[in-house]
Amino acid sequence: MNQYQKAFLERYLATLPVTSSTAGRAFSAGYYCDNHQEANLCASLILAGKKRATSSLYEGYVRAGLSLPKKGDLHVVTDWQGCPVCVVEVTSVNRCRFIDVTEAFAEQEGEGDGSLAWWREAHWDFFTRECYSLGVQPSEEMALVLECFEVVYPRRESMNHDKG
């Protein structure tokens, strides 16, 4: 997390009641997706309330030695350039196989037309690229991490790239 992202998170944390605890929560920052156009689109969809979930490849966590996200964790969503857009709080985390992702989850992810067919096609391409970068063979059985979240700290002027 860079200084701008950390300052943005700290501004959010300062809005919480003194009795609120951040103990046990993980904090992270970054964009969703793997390219400029889609990362900025995802940030916009989150701000608009259309994107309320994300998915990632379980093997990516394993290979990087990272803990899985958990309910209550906070994530500073950024645009592609790393500028803070909003803070989301994880509301649920589940693991499932690619083939078992549901229509309801695809709709929560809020991308494309919201259908499971669109989700499967777009995410197959995305996860295939990630699998190849990890030296893993993609399959419909590959394990995913499905996160649902809610925006807890929006930044109205978020897409103006002012880093602050």
Side-chain angles (χ1 to χ4, degrees):
M1 189 176 308
N2 70 31
Q3 66 183 7
Y4 303 108
Q5 297 158 358
K6 186 174 181 179
F8 190 80
L9 176 63
E10 288 173 355
R11 285 195 297 275
Y12 164 65
L13 294 174
T15 70
L16 298 177
V18 176
T19 57
S20 290
S21 173
T22 58
R25 289 186 179 197
F27 306 106
S28 60
Y31 48 80
Y32 295 108
C33 224
D34 64 352
N35 65 71
H36 178 269
Q37 181 180 354
E38 291 177 6
N40 289 348
L41 175 60
C42 284
S44 295
L45 291 170
I46 291 168
L47 284 177
K50 293 181 181 177
K51 182 172 178 60
R52 303 174 320 279
T54 193
S55 53
S56 50
L57 191 63
Y58 175 72
E59 187 67 23
Y61 288 96
V62 172
R63 298 282 177 107
L66 298 172
S67 298
L68 293 180
K70 62 187 178 310
K71 184 177 179 176
D73 286 352
L74 296 173
H75 180 75
V76 177
V77 177
T78 72
D79 63 13
W80 182 255
Q81 289 79 23
C83 300
V85 172
C86 63
V87 177
V88 297
E89 181 175 347
V90 176
T91 58
S92 69
V93 180
N94 294 293
R95 278 181 44 194
C96 81
R97 300 176 310 165
F98 179 89
I99 194 68
D100 294 330
V101 170
T102 64
E103 184 85 35
F105 184 81
E107 185 178 332
Q108 277 188 293
E109 228 183 291
E111 298 172 36
D113 65 8
S115 71
L116 183 56
W118 187 95
W119 186 94
R120 282 191 174 145
E121 183 177 338
H123 285 77
W124 180 260
D125 292 345
F126 175 80
F127 290 129
T128 295
R129 289 190 303 272
E130 188 173 358
C131 281
Y132 288 146
S133 75
L134 295 171
V136 175
Q137 184 66 36
S139 83
E140 290 188 338
E141 303 294 318
M142 62 188 155
L144 303 182
V145 177
L146 308 181
E147 289 177 65
C148 294
F149 54 78
E150 65 181 1
V151 175
V152 293
Y153 189 68
R155 179 176 169 191
R156 304 286 179 220
E157 70 282 5
S158 62
M159 299 306 284
N160 70 2
H161 309 293
D162 69 354
K163 294 221 183 225

